[in-house]
């Protein structure tokens, strides 16, 4: 998985390497969110994924992108809160 710090004005996620004819469903912590779009703006911390569906109904799920908020600017991420 990949982790990013969520810095204002929030983190923009992209579905890459896509051709026309695909539908997209974004997920936040396993729950469907967003619209049918190549991009999604993450405004809350958590785990994000996108599922792409082609015109034949075949689907592929992306890797998990984790968005954190407890980050130190210019330094390593802060440890998680207890």
């Amino acid at each position: 998985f990949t982790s990013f710090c969520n810095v204002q004005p929030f983190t923009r996620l992209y579905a890459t390497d896509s051709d026309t004819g695909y539908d997209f469903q974004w997920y936040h912590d396993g729950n469907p969110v967003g619209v049918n779009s190549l991009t999604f703006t993450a405004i809350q911390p958590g785990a994000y994924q996108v599922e792409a569906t082609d015109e034949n109904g075949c689907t592929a799920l992306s890797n998990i992108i984790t968005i954190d908020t407890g980050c130190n600017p210019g330094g390593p991420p802060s440890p998680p809160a207890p």
Side-chain angles (χ1 to χ4, degrees):
F1 75 95
T2 303
S3 182
F4 293 96
C5 288
N6 199 12
V7 179
Q8 299 291 349
F10 305 117
T11 302
R12 177 69 59 128
L13 303 173
Y14 295 88
T16 60
D17 297 330
S18 59
D19 296 321
T20 59
Y22 284 87
D23 290 324
F24 300 95
Q25 176 61 63
W26 291 90
Y27 295 91
H28 174 232
D29 292 333
N31 298 307
V33 295
V35 296
N36 182 17
S37 174
L38 287 170
T39 63
F40 181 77
T41 302
I43 59 173
Q44 296 179 336
Y48 289 85
Q49 286 182 286
V50 63
E51 182 178 59
T53 304
D54 70 12
E55 55 199 20
N56 297 314
C58 297
T59 61
L61 190 62
S62 74
N63 59 315
I64 295 172
I65 303 293
T66 301
I67 305 298
D68 295 317
T69 56
C71 303
N72 295 325
S78 300

